Amino acid sequence: MAEYTPKERLARALTGQPVDRMPAVSVTQTGTVDQMEACGAFWPEANNDAEKMATLAEAGHTVVGFEAVRVPFDITAEAEFFGCEIKDGTKEQQPSVVGHVVKTVEDIEALRGYNLDHGRIGVVCEAIKILADKYGEELPIMGSMIGPFSLAQHINGDEWFMAIFTNEAFALELMEFTTDFNVAYAKKMVENGADTMVIIDPTASAQLIGAEFYEKFVVPFHKKICDAMHELNVPVVLHICGDTTQGLALMESSGVDGISVDQNVDAATAVSKVEKAIIVGNLDPVNMLWNQTPEAIREQSQKVLDAGVGLLGPGCGIVSKTPTENLQAMVEMAKSHKY
């Protein structure tokens, strides 16, 4: 079989075409303190400065060996863009959303007319352009964004889960708004050079809200993003936290090309629950990648590979203190695997 560039290999793997071997990538966040110290770009500055963001993303390739570059590192840029209060991150910790801006349909209306060149959304898009200009011919350029359901929660706050049960009109209006934003943002990332899109929608779980509500408030909105990306020949990977086993078929029904599952999901069971989408994952980022030895990581990686995953990777975002040699053990196992 022909050898492929990393860019070709990932695109083929995500769309079900034969490849020479497994790509070695992480669809979830890649930044670590080891990489920061190696490249000189540190959080929190690397979350806010396009050059530093690109430099730290590049370290995932040059230091760790991932065969892709990916931005951003956190999931708060979108909420900050719409005026939510953000608790600043540190060198080791990501920022978090602590204040919310929408309670009514009128509040949603007030957020319209945004400019995607502004704020950290603009920074992420600029970082993608920097990375694409340097690596776009060879490496996959992954754009990532928080999904529309979790963005709605960030904007609305803890009331969001009650809203989907008791105020359907408002909830659907907010979902339409966040999804339209997601589509516009994703298209902007693609215009700047992204060729793979990752939706991180941590609270959009059928286990959490039930299959009926997932089908109403999540599937059609994820499908809208997938359709927009597929029109541009951009594959889409979806990550939802927790035990998503019972919701995998619903997740796949939105048209995603890959589903990233976390460590609470049995990998072999996940593979059996989908028809076309590839399963991505699912090494425990804390108990395995951060706190175990390279030898233990190789052993667990082999078990996950034997389960039939399409891409070996972390079960969630990589912990910032994860040792480089541990990530390299995972990369080594992926590169040595032939389907």
Side-chain angles (χ1 to χ4, degrees):
M1 182 178 288
E3 286 191 15
Y4 297 98
T5 66
K7 190 183 191 78
E8 293 168 335
R9 186 178 294 117
L10 182 62
R12 290 177 68 88
L14 283 172
T15 52
Q17 300 178 68
V19 289
D20 50 339
R21 63 165 175 82
M22 181 175 283
V25 302
S26 172
V27 303
T28 53
Q29 96 79 20
T30 61
T32 63
V33 174
D34 277 1
Q35 293 173 60
M36 295 175 204
E37 292 174 345
C39 72
F42 295 84
W43 292 347
E45 293 81 11
N47 291 324
N48 303 296
D49 179 282
E51 290 282 354
K52 291 177 180 177
M53 184 181 292
T55 297
L56 182 54
E58 180 182 26
H61 172 61
T62 59
V63 175
V64 174
F66 287 129
E67 298 177 299
V69 287
R70 180 199 183 283
V71 293
F73 310 105
D74 72 308
I75 55 170
T76 67
E78 298 87 351
E80 182 179 349
F81 180 75
F82 287 116
C84 293
E85 183 183 354
I86 306 297
K87 179 182 177 182
D88 289 338
T90 67
K91 175 182 171 182
E92 297 177 354
Q93 193 168 27
Q94 295 178 336
S96 57
V97 178
V98 294
H100 316 286
V101 293
V102 164
K103 289 188 178 299
T104 65
V105 171
E106 289 73 25
D107 293 336
I108 299 172
E109 292 302 315
L111 298 179
R112 300 189 189 278
Y114 46 79
N115 184 336
L116 293 172
D117 292 330
H118 292 170
R120 277 206 289 146
I121 297 304
V123 169
V124 172
C125 291
E126 186 180 345
I128 285 173
K129 187 174 190 313
I130 294 168
L131 292 165
D133 286 346
K134 186 168 185 177
Y135 289 109
E137 292 298 316
E138 179 190 1
L139 292 182
I141 312 294
M142 288 189 188
S144 175
M145 59 186 178
I146 195 170
F149 189 88
S150 299
L151 178 55
Q153 184 204 356
H154 276 175
I155 290 174
N156 187 223
D158 291 339
E159 300 170 12
W160 173 240
F161 292 104
M162 184 60 69
I164 68 171
F165 291 110
T166 63
N167 194 349
E168 180 177 305
F170 166 77
L172 288 173
E173 183 78 16
L174 186 50
M175 283 302 302
E176 291 284 359
F177 173 80
T178 56
T179 303
D180 287 346
F181 163 77
N182 277 129
V183 170
Y185 183 23
K187 287 181 175 178
K188 179 83 170 180
M189 286 192 269
V190 173
E191 286 173 13
N192 281 30
D195 53 56
T196 309
M197 193 57 54
V198 182
I199 302 170
I200 307 288
D201 216 346
T203 58
S205 171
Q207 182 194 33
L208 189 64
I209 64 174
E212 178 185 345
F213 284 90
Y214 187 92
E215 198 161 8
K216 178 181 287 186
F217 288 99
V218 181
V219 172
F221 303 102
H222 283 173
K223 185 177 187 302
K224 192 171 183 179
I225 300 168
C226 290
D227 288 349
M229 290 295 95
H230 290 160
E231 286 180 9
L232 300 172
N233 295 315
V234 173
V236 179
V237 179
L238 171 63
H239 177 84
I240 295 176
C241 297
D243 184 356
T244 54
T245 306
Q246 298 308 315
L248 287 167
L250 275 173
M251 292 166 69
E252 185 179 26
S253 72
S254 66
V256 293
D257 303 282
I259 298 175
S260 170
V261 296
D262 92 358
Q263 58 277 6
N264 293 299
V265 177
D266 177 75
T269 303
V271 171
S272 75
K273 294 276 188 181
V274 296
E275 295 181 6
K276 291 183 179 179
I278 68 168
I279 295 297
V280 184
N282 65 339
L283 297 182
D284 190 318
V286 175
N287 296 320
M288 183 57 60
L289 289 173
W290 178 18
N291 286 317
Q292 284 290 345
T293 63
E295 291 74 21
I297 290 163
R298 291 186 192 96
E299 182 179 336
Q300 183 61 27
S301 293
Q302 190 60 58
K303 292 178 182 177
V304 174
L305 291 168
D306 289 344
V309 298
L311 292 173
L312 177 67
C316 199
I318 294 168
V319 178
S320 63
K321 291 185 177 181
T322 304
T324 294
E325 58 266 26
N326 286 6
L327 295 176
Q328 289 172 333
M330 179 179 68
V331 166
E332 170 193 323
M333 293 300 293
K335 287 182 175 180
S336 66
H337 184 71
K338 297 186 184 298
Y339 294 101

